[in-house]
Amino acid sequence: MVIQRVLVVFNKMKSGTVNIATQIKAKMNELEIDCQLFGYLDNPSEVVCHHPIDFVFVLGGDGTVLFSARMLYKLEVPILPINMGSIGFITEVSASEWLDAFLTYKNGQLDVSKRIMIRATVYRNGKKITDLVGLNDGVIGSSGASKIVRYQIDVNGVSLGEYRADGVILATPTGATGYSLAAGGPLIYPEAEALLVTPICPHSLTKRPIVIPGNENIRVTLDKEQRTKISLTIDGQVEYFLEPGDEVVFSKTSEKTIIVKSDKRSFYEVIRTKLGG
């Protein structure tokens, strides 16, 4: 595996990330691999990268991976997430394992996991007004005192019906372990080509989560009469305020986030550990 240029993205608020980033840069210099460091405190609008890269280290937690995936997804380069706390659902590699994982991958002995991402395109009065991308999910929900959101969902033009709920979660398989799971949605193997629709506290027992093939478009249309302010949140990190009557079309992106897998633990082992099985 030829790796000539790497980028290290690290969340400075996570303890130990600066130290590990410095270690990575020193080791890359030793291996004669060009290494750029990008540390951040808040959520910058972009990841600054001065030239093309072949590989990305991400230091932090799952939130840091979500941020990095949104910033870098168009590059489709392998990302090695390194967890700086407890093992996350995405960050399977611990801080003590980063060098072994990198060298094993470089020697062609580690597989990658290709994850679909979700795109949320907002239309107002028939006009496209914004386009947002996330690795985990897009959530339409109340941002006001009253929690009830009224909306309709259709898949490729076929109606799933009208909903009165606290909102709706449109999740990727990667995001199925997040908010969707807490709202009663199922787990999905992270490399599956599917999107998950999970109503949030629906006011009807017949409105249940549904798994949709990844190649289909899901349209959420807000009723024109609402009693609350409504927002669209991407990966729990980016918020966009909606208006009554807005339409949000969810689909998968053509690009995928490429995650380097751990050879120490599988997705099923992480699920068992995190969910207390």
Side-chain angles (χ1 to χ4, degrees), residues 164-183:
R164 295 177 69 251
D166 286 5
V168 61
I169 305 164
L170 281 295
T172 66
T174 301
T177 55
Y179 190 8
S180 176
L181 181 64

Side-chain angles (χ1 to χ4, degrees), residues 6-254:
V6 306
L7 173 68
V8 184
V9 180
F10 56 102
N11 183 348
K12 292 181 179 180
M13 294 186 68
K14 287 282 186 178
S15 176
T17 57
V18 175
N19 181 50
I20 296 295
T22 302
Q23 291 180 31
I24 292 173
K25 186 171 179 61
K27 186 63 180 181
M28 294 303 107
N29 290 340
E30 181 183 319
L31 296 172
E32 297 184 341
I33 296 173
D34 183 82
C35 181
Q36 298 180 61
L37 301 184
F38 181 83
Y40 70 94
L41 290 174
D42 298 316
N43 286 338
S45 59
E46 62 178 345
V47 169
V48 178
C49 183
H50 299 297
H51 54 57
I53 53 176
D54 306 311
F55 190 88
V56 182
F57 292 93
V58 173
L59 312 181
D62 282 357
T64 312
V65 180
L66 296 177
F67 163 76
S68 301
R70 290 198 311 276
M71 296 297 105
L72 302 170
Y73 77 97
K74 290 185 178 180
L75 301 180
E76 290 192 285
V77 294
I79 294 174
L80 177 59
I82 302 169
N83 194 288
M84 301 303 294
S86 59
I87 300 300
F89 285 110
I90 309 175
T91 48
E92 299 174 359
V93 176
S94 69
S96 63
E97 298 168 345
W98 75 262
L99 180 56
D100 180 62
F102 175 74
L103 294 177
T104 304
Y105 174 79
K106 190 173 182 296
N107 291 331
Q109 297 173 317
L110 272 189
D111 291 331
V112 297
S113 176
K114 296 183 178 181
R115 312 287 185 90
I116 68 170
M117 299 187 71
I118 193 166
R119 181 184 302 279
T121 305
V122 180
Y123 295 88
R124 183 167 297 156
N125 299 319
K127 181 181 179 181
K128 176 180 172 180
I129 58 173
T130 193
D131 197 47
L132 303 170
V133 170
L135 176 59
N136 250 15
D137 53 34
V139 178
I140 295 175
S142 168
S143 60
S146 173
K147 295 299 182 182
I148 302 301
V149 180
R150 294 171 172 80
Y151 58 91
Q152 301 176 48
I153 298 178
D154 69 70
V155 179
N156 284 357
V158 179
S159 176
L160 293 184
E162 297 182 355
Y163 292 72
R164 295 177 69 251
D166 286 5
V168 61
I169 305 164
L170 281 295
T172 66
T174 301
T177 55
Y179 190 8
S180 176
L181 181 64
L187 294 172
I188 304 177
Y189 189 72
E191 294 171 43
E193 295 276 339
L195 295 174
L196 173 58
V197 181
T198 305
I200 305 171
C201 299
H203 287 226
S204 170
L205 294 178
T206 63
K207 303 300 186 183
R208 312 306 302 166
I210 180 170
V211 179
I212 305 293
N215 61 350
E216 298 193 337
N217 293 331
I218 303 164
R219 182 182 298 269
V220 178
T221 303
L222 300 179
D223 286 4
K224 293 185 177 180
E225 297 294 329
Q226 302 286 346
R227 296 181 179 178
T228 183
K229 295 180 179 179
I230 302 171
S231 65
L232 166 65
T233 306
I234 301 296
D235 286 348
Q237 297 178 344
V238 178
E239 185 175 34
Y240 187 87
F241 288 96
L242 302 173
E243 295 184 2
D246 281 356
E247 297 179 336
V248 187
V249 177
F250 294 91
S251 60
K252 71 172 185 176
T253 63
S254 57

